[in-house]
Amino acid sequence: RWYRSNGYEVIDRNWRCAGGEIDLVVRDATTVVFVEVKARFSDRFGPAAAAVDLRKQRRLRIAAVRWLEAHPGHRGALRFDVVAITGTRVEVIVAAY
């Protein structure tokens, strides 16, 4: 919802390939954004954003390359965002890595 209300177009959801999954792909006029959504009921084991570690980031990059190969019409700048939901708190981390 945050992306739509800020003028982004949702172009894919839950896209899967052999290398992983992309939760959300959105686009504004010039940027394709790959979004990882992480949710935790509480921060007892740390905030949700902490679950997007280097290993997960690497897998998301590989999946993004495969998504771009499968969708050659989408060109422009690229960005990776994280939507972290901890309890009822929602945090959108733009250009997270």
Side-chain angles (χ1 to χ4, degrees):
R1 294 178 189 180
W2 184 89
Y3 288 97
R4 281 194 179 143
S5 65
N6 283 285
Y8 290 83
E9 172 191 5
V10 175
I11 53 179
D12 220 334
R13 285 189 178 103
N14 301 320
W15 188 84
R16 294 173 189 249
C17 66
E21 177 183 358
I22 300 171
D23 294 329
L24 193 60
V25 182
V26 299
R27 178 180 59 191
D28 68 4
T30 60
T31 306
V32 174
V33 184
F34 299 97
V35 182
E36 175 68 10
V37 179
K38 284 294 178 191
R40 291 189 174 169
F41 288 107
S42 75
D43 61 0
R44 181 174 179 202
F45 298 105
V52 186
D53 58 12
L54 291 175
R55 188 175 127 250
K56 181 65 174 174
Q57 291 174 22
R58 189 174 334 116
R59 289 177 56 203
L60 289 168
R61 285 187 191 105
I62 291 167
V65 167
R66 291 193 176 145
W67 187 92
L68 289 166
E69 291 170 348
H71 301 85
H74 295 281
R75 294 290 179 237
L78 303 176
R79 191 176 80 215
F80 292 86
D81 291 0
V82 172
V83 175
I85 306 163
T86 305
T88 59
R89 190 179 79 238
V90 178
E91 178 183 15
V92 178
I93 305 167
V94 175
Y97 56 93

